[in-house]
Amino acid sequence: MSVRRIIAAAALFLAASAVAVAVPAEAAEATAPADLPFGSATAVGLHNTYDPAAFPFLAQALDTGTGMIELDAWTDTVTTEWKVSHSNPLGNANNCVTATTPAQLYSGGANKNLETCLDDIRVWLGAHPGAGPLVVKLELKGGFAGNRGMGPAQLDALIAAHLGSAVFRPADLLAKPGGGSYATLDEAARAGNWPSRGSLAGRVLLDVIPGTVEEQNPFDTLHTDVEYARYLRDLVASGQTSRAQVFPVVHGARSGDPRDQYAEASIRPWFVVFDGDAAAYVSGIDTGWYDTRHYLLVMTDAQNVAPAISATDPTADQARARATQLAAAHASIVSSDWRHLPEVQSLVLPRG
């Protein structure tokens, strides 16, 4: 081979090597947590985060870097207040305090109403603008009481007043990047319209599930999921989409399209968030169905997936392995009570 050909071949080899190195670097950058679309990532969440036995102050739960907190709320129609507690519908039992500055998040009396919990979240996010996105899961223990002035519209007004522009609303998912709007949340999600996690820093997505008391009440014939989905559907139809602050949730793991349970077909396209037992999801349900459609999937009681691990105090390796396992099983949020593992609570993994 001539010297000229040798030099040319060497140059070609070096060029090919440079390309081979560049591609993996770009791929690695593309999968950085901040670059992942919100619907294409898996985060870890905390169950019953408001419980003082878990954290003396709600801000301490947020300090773990968790991707989700949970608040249980009751509609106290006597005082028209949204009470936050596990089992007392007429009183507060929680770790929320009246804070207007970050320093006040860790002092003062607790046991406040829902609006104070939301204020604590807003103040904490203001001090940590790079945090999040944070999912706030609301369980309405007894459901709405719309006929007594505590329905979806009143909940939305409260959220808007206390979290303001920090909320990622259904209207934000519906909005097309180039202008215009998708017709339904289903259409927007399936188009992959979730923003990147980085662009949602400092933001909150609220979802609402039916409560355990409501679901067991034979006299309650209008559950939270149906009531909010109808309300959202009607807001969009009347051009008032921006008022909605919350994403309704299909509650309970089941095969197929879980929205088929709703006889009212017109509300089905307004559900793109699903929440159920992790062990049920990994026992024969096609969870890839949620991922390919970019729906959010919250897997609860992650510790109970076989082999079971501690609900509160697994080792970091056990919890990390379980989070990784459920990320591969297409979870958006892996939820448990791993309160003492900030290195796991702050994990963000590619989904699927």
Side-chain angles (χ1 to χ4, degrees), residues 65-148:
T66 187
M68 185 193 81
I69 65 171
E70 181 177 351
L71 302 173
D72 287 357
W74 298 85
T75 53
D76 184 346
T77 58
V78 176
T79 61
T80 62
E81 295 172 313
W82 303 82
K83 300 294 177 60
V84 176
S85 79
H86 187 264
S87 55
N88 185 357
L90 300 177
N92 291 296
N94 58 67
N95 53 15
C96 301
V97 297
T98 304
T100 57
T101 68
Q104 293 173 347
L105 289 168
Y106 306 93
S107 63
N111 302 322
K112 300 297 191 293
N113 291 334
L114 177 60
E115 56 263 37
T116 299
C117 297
L118 299 180
D119 286 339
D120 286 358
I121 294 168
R122 187 192 70 251
V123 171
W124 188 91
L125 286 173
H128 302 83
L134 175 70
V135 173
V136 176
K137 175 179 172 179
L138 294 175
E139 179 184 342
L140 294 190
K141 299 295 285 189
F144 286 115
N147 59 340
R148 287 175 283 177

Side-chain angles (χ1 to χ4, degrees), residues 45-69:
L46 283 164
H47 172 248
N48 285 355
T49 330
Y50 62 89
D51 185 354
F55 299 96
F57 299 100
L58 183 63
Q60 293 171 322
L62 297 171
D63 287 341
T64 67
T66 187
M68 185 193 81
I69 65 171

Side-chain angles (χ1 to χ4, degrees), residues 1-264:
M1 181 181 291
S2 69
V3 172
R4 181 178 295 176
R5 288 184 177 180
I6 292 172
I7 293 173
L12 182 62
F13 172 79
L14 290 173
S17 299
V19 171
V21 170
V23 170
E26 290 171 0
E29 183 179 353
T31 56
D35 294 331
L36 288 169
F38 185 68
S40 300
T42 303
V44 181
L46 283 164
H47 172 248
N48 285 355
T49 330
Y50 62 89
D51 185 354
F55 299 96
F57 299 100
L58 183 63
Q60 293 171 322
L62 297 171
D63 287 341
T64 67
T66 187
M68 185 193 81
I69 65 171
E70 181 177 351
L71 302 173
D72 287 357
W74 298 85
T75 53
D76 184 346
T77 58
V78 176
T79 61
T80 62
E81 295 172 313
W82 303 82
K83 300 294 177 60
V84 176
S85 79
H86 187 264
S87 55
N88 185 357
L90 300 177
N92 291 296
N94 58 67
N95 53 15
C96 301
V97 297
T98 304
T100 57
T101 68
Q104 293 173 347
L105 289 168
Y106 306 93
S107 63
N111 302 322
K112 300 297 191 293
N113 291 334
L114 177 60
E115 56 263 37
T116 299
C117 297
L118 299 180
D119 286 339
D120 286 358
I121 294 168
R122 187 192 70 251
V123 171
W124 188 91
L125 286 173
H128 302 83
L134 175 70
V135 173
V136 176
K137 175 179 172 179
L138 294 175
E139 179 184 342
L140 294 190
K141 299 295 285 189
F144 286 115
N147 59 340
R148 287 175 283 177
M150 299 191 74
Q154 288 76 29
L155 178 62
D156 275 348
L158 182 143
I159 292 168
H162 292 272
L163 286 177
S165 61
V167 179
F168 180 79
R169 306 160 302 161
D172 299 318
L173 181 58
L174 289 171
K176 293 182 177 180
S181 180
Y182 289 100
T184 65
L185 291 182
D186 180 80
E187 184 180 328
R190 293 179 70 166
N193 202 42
W194 296 105
S196 69
R197 288 183 53 86
S199 69
L200 290 175
R203 303 287 298 278
V204 173
L205 182 150
L206 296 101
D207 68 45
V208 61
I209 67 170
T212 52
V213 173
E214 175 185 33
E215 289 179 324
Q216 296 169 11
N217 181 359
F219 302 105
D220 189 334
T221 58
L222 179 58
H223 286 182
T224 293
D225 48 352
V226 173
E227 189 166 359
Y228 197 91
R230 287 178 179 172
Y231 162 80
L232 175 57
R233 175 201 62 195
D234 295 344
L235 280 182
V236 175
S238 62
Q240 302 179 78
T241 313
S242 62
R243 290 176 52 188
Q245 305 292 312
V246 176
F247 287 78
V249 176
V250 179
H251 192 215
R254 63 189 71 198
S255 299
D257 187 340
R259 298 170 300 186
D260 289 344
Q261 67 185 289
Y262 300 117
E264 198 170 350

